[in-house]
């Protein structure tokens, strides 16, 4: 048996890693934007970035990717 806090800490680690990897693939501008909003200037490692900054940066990054994919699918229909 583990407590809710221990379950959260164990469960958030792989999700956090996945989101950070996806954000870094698309550029770090989204992460920097939300770090600026949270008034976080400089971090030594990604472990210092709060999850409240990572989640919105991940969502924005994925939405950008989705719009790009949607636009690329739409282009051939415009040409035809």
């Amino acid at each position: 048996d583990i407590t809710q806090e221990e379950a959260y800490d164990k469960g958030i680690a792989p999700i956090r890693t996945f989101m950070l990897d996806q954000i870094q693939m698309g550029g770090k501008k989204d992460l920097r934007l939300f770090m600026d909003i949270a008034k976080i200037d400089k971090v030594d490692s990604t472990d210092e970035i709060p999850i409240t900054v990572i989640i919105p940066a991940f969502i924005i990054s994925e939405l950008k990717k989705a719009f790009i994919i949607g636009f690329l699918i739409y282009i051939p229909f415009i040409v035809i």
Side-chain angles (χ1 to χ4, degrees):
D1 289 327
I2 60 174
T3 65
Q4 286 182 342
E5 290 83 19
E6 291 172 336
Y8 175 79
D9 292 338
K10 287 183 180 184
I12 202 70
I15 295 170
R16 177 187 186 89
T17 304
F18 171 77
M19 287 191 282
L20 283 170
D21 289 344
Q22 295 300 313
I23 292 170
Q24 290 175 357
M25 285 175 48
K28 296 184 180 183
K29 290 189 297 185
D30 300 323
L31 189 59
R32 183 78 250 166
L33 169 71
F34 285 100
M35 285 177 67
D36 289 343
I37 291 172
K39 295 179 176 71
I40 300 172
D41 293 330
K42 193 174 184 181
V43 292
D44 295 327
S45 69
T46 56
D47 294 333
E48 296 177 7
I49 302 172
I51 197 70
T52 55
V53 170
I54 294 173
I55 291 173
F58 171 74
I59 292 171
I60 294 295
S61 142
E62 291 299 306
L63 281 173
K64 272 202 271 187
K65 290 176 192 173
F67 278 116
I68 290 170
I69 291 169
F71 184 71
L72 292 175
I73 290 172
Y74 185 65
I75 288 176
F77 292 105
I78 292 176
V79 172
I80 293 174

